[in-house]
């Protein structure tokens, strides 16, 4: 899949959790990657993993603003644009809801304009959050969703819905060739330990001396996809010749309750920390599971990494990260 030396892939949000894995994979396939990131939620260690690798270049910038010259002056060489630029963890995207909304709408618009100018294929990473608190289960792409435009999640889920609408309009107007992935819960190395999402929270709590926090009674469900599977799906979607005017779900259909997830992490880490219940956040979806028939049929994609294998890798990675952090604190 390697391109000729002159071609370039832009990854907006390339220093983030999924973005850093995608960038590493693209570089390993021989591509050149221009990573545009505002470092809002990215870890500096993710950037250190990437910097110095052949073909990698970092540009600091926020897609809410007009794109930096260091990006626009490369437009003639850019053949693919991945948009992964947005905080995705509920506490983080709710911390500055105005910025989250603008990132999705104005930021996506800036990247679509670049795609049009560069004649580059554009991939939007949308989200299972467009289904809101779903009344249809599992969620197929033709389900229109049940979101709340008045609640605290709206900046993200309504922002992504608007980003999808704009992206499909660009395709309808023949202004850009587009792909839209709806990503379900994803986990793995390179997540931020303080990210606030359930997998990182529970593992980091289990590996330190903090109680394990279950929001609500823990009966709400999610389906967790290991990050290497997700990245594989994104690249397949980008490179496929499918009609890009339909979104594609990418996620692992294995559904489990948050309580079951906590039990697995407790068993895997051997922690004796207490399990404590905290209030369920407002508008927290009760159930979530992707129907991935479309991804299977169109892309030949389905997840390969089992939950136990993925959690074991993630626990091992966090154990190392937390040990490094502890050493740094002790040395201060
Ligand atoms: N959750 C939890 N404990 C935590 C963090 C999250 O029980 O420490 C719950 C949260 O309320 C939700 C689920 O785990 O029901 C997944 O939350 P996450 O923030 O990872 O992502 P979401 O799918 O809600 O966007």
């Amino acid at each position: 899949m390697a391109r000729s030396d002159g071609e370039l892939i832009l990854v907006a949000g390339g220093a983030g959790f999924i973005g850093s894995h995608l960038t590493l994979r693209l570089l390993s396939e021989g591509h050149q990657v221009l990573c545009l990131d505002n470092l809002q939620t990215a870890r500096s260690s993710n950037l250190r993993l990437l910097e110095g690798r052949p073909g990698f270049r970092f540009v600091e910038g926020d897609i809410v603003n007009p794109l930096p010259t260091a990006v626009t002056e490369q437009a003639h060489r850019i053949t693919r644009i991945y948009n992964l630029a947005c905080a995705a963890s509920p506490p983080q995207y709710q911390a500055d809801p105005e910025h989250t909304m603008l990132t999705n709408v104005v930021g996506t618009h800036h990247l679509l304009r670049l795609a049009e100018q560069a004649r580059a294929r554009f991939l939007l990473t949308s989200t299972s959050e467009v289904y809101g608190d779903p009344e249809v289960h599992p969620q197929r792409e033709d389900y229109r969703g049940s979101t709340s435009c008045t609640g605290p999640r709206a900046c993200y889920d309504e922002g992504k819905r608007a980003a999808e609408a704009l992206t499909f309009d660009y395709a309808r107007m023949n202004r850009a060739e587009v792909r839209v992935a709806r990503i379900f819960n994803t986990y793995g190395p390179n997540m931020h330990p303080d990210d606030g999402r359930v997998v990182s929270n529970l593992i980091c709590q289990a590996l330190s001396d903090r109680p394990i926090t279950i929001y609500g009674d823990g009966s709400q469900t999610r389906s967790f996809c290991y990050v290497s599977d997700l990245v594989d799906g994104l690249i397949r979607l980008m490179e496929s010749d499918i009609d890009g005017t339909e979104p594609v779900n990418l996620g692992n259909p294995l559904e489990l309750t948050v309580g079951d997830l906590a039990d697995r992490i407790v068993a895997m880490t051997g922690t004796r920390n207490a399990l404590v219940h905290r209030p369920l956040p407002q508008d927290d979806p009760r159930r979530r599971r992707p129907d991935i028939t479309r991804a299977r049929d169109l892309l030949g994609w389905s997840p390969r990494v089992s939950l136990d294998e993925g959690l074991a890798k993630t626990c091992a990675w966090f154990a190392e990260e937390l040990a490094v952090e502890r050493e740094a604190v002790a040395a201060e």
Side-chain angles (χ1 to χ4, degrees):
M1 222 190 264
R3 294 172 195 292
S4 66
D5 281 350
E7 292 181 72
L8 190 60
I9 298 179
L10 176 66
V11 181
F17 161 47
I18 298 176
S20 60
H21 286 275
L22 174 67
T23 299
L24 280 171
R25 172 83 189 266
L26 293 170
L27 291 171
S28 77
E29 289 177 357
H31 304 304
Q32 294 182 37
V33 176
L34 192 55
C35 165
L36 173 64
D37 202 299
N38 66 358
L39 302 180
Q40 178 200 358
T41 56
R43 304 183 71 215
S44 47
S45 50
N46 288 354
L47 201 51
R48 284 199 296 276
L49 269 179
L50 301 167
E51 271 174 337
R53 289 183 185 253
F56 179 76
R57 183 161 167 219
F58 175 66
V59 176
E60 186 169 348
D62 192 322
I63 58 169
V64 161
N65 302 320
L67 298 179
T69 315
V71 170
T72 52
E73 68 187 10
Q74 296 294 326
H76 60 289
R77 293 183 51 218
I78 296 172
T79 56
R80 300 279 188 263
I81 299 173
Y82 287 89
N83 181 12
L84 292 98
C86 189
S89 157
Q92 290 188 341
Y93 69 63
Q94 289 170 27
D96 187 350
E98 179 185 19
H99 185 258
T100 300
M101 177 61 82
L102 294 178
T103 299
N104 284 312
V105 181
V106 178
T108 298
H109 186 225
H110 284 144
L111 293 173
L112 279 165
R113 300 261 317 247
L114 180 71
E116 179 180 25
Q117 184 197 344
R119 296 174 198 272
R121 193 179 285 175
F122 174 81
L123 185 148
L124 172 70
T125 55
S126 182
T127 169
S128 56
E129 295 262 337
V130 300
Y131 302 120
D133 190 6
E135 298 131 329
V136 169
H137 197 74
Q139 291 79 55
R140 282 167 36 134
E141 291 88 346
D142 56 7
Y143 171 50
R144 291 186 178 182
S146 170
T147 52
S148 159
C149 64
T150 60
R153 296 176 91 97
C155 58
Y156 187 71
D157 54 32
E158 300 293 356
K160 288 286 188 187
R161 289 170 72 94
E164 282 199 20
L166 191 59
T167 301
F168 290 127
D169 278 333
Y170 262 67
R172 259 189 296 274
M173 293 186 290
N174 290 320
R175 292 176 64 179
E177 198 186 344
V178 308
R179 304 284 184 266
V180 174
R182 289 184 178 159
I183 298 179
F184 285 65
N185 295 63
T186 304
Y187 70 100
N190 301 3
M191 292 183 96
H192 204 299
D194 301 323
D195 171 271
R197 277 182 277 201
V198 68
V199 173
S200 45
N201 271 10
L202 301 195
I203 292 179
C204 291
Q205 290 160 349
L207 294 175
S208 49
D209 54 3
R210 286 174 291 145
I212 294 172
T213 54
I214 296 182
Y215 299 166
D217 63 5
S219 64
Q220 70 272 33
T221 70
R222 294 292 187 274
S223 308
F224 297 96
C225 186
Y226 191 66
V227 64
S228 58
D229 282 331
L230 195 272
V231 163
D232 186 49
L234 289 176
I235 293 175
R236 280 175 191 243
L237 177 60
M238 177 64 108
E239 298 307 326
S240 69
D241 288 327
I242 64 164
D243 167 16
T245 56
E246 301 281 355
V248 178
N249 286 340
L250 292 178
N252 192 319
L254 177 79
E255 179 185 7
L256 77 168
T257 67
V258 166
D260 286 342
L261 175 73
D263 290 344
R264 284 199 194 213
I265 291 172
V266 166
M268 196 168 276
T269 56
T271 181
R272 290 168 170 265
N273 297 354
L275 267 66
V276 296
H277 289 267
R278 301 271 185 254
L280 191 68
Q282 188 187 333
D283 293 342
D284 199 278
R286 294 290 315 154
R287 298 185 78 183
R288 187 183 287 159
R289 171 156 65 101
D291 181 320
I292 59 164
T293 309
R294 190 176 280 173
R296 273 206 184 100
D297 291 351
L298 297 179
L299 311 177
W301 178 85
S302 57
R304 291 156 180 262
V305 181
S306 71
L307 184 61
D308 281 342
E309 189 188 345
L311 284 179
K313 286 184 179 171
T314 310
C315 284
W317 182 82
F318 270 121
E320 270 186 36
E321 287 295 297
L322 295 180
V324 170
E325 269 182 24
R326 272 185 217 116
E327 273 171 32
V329 171
E332 273 172 11

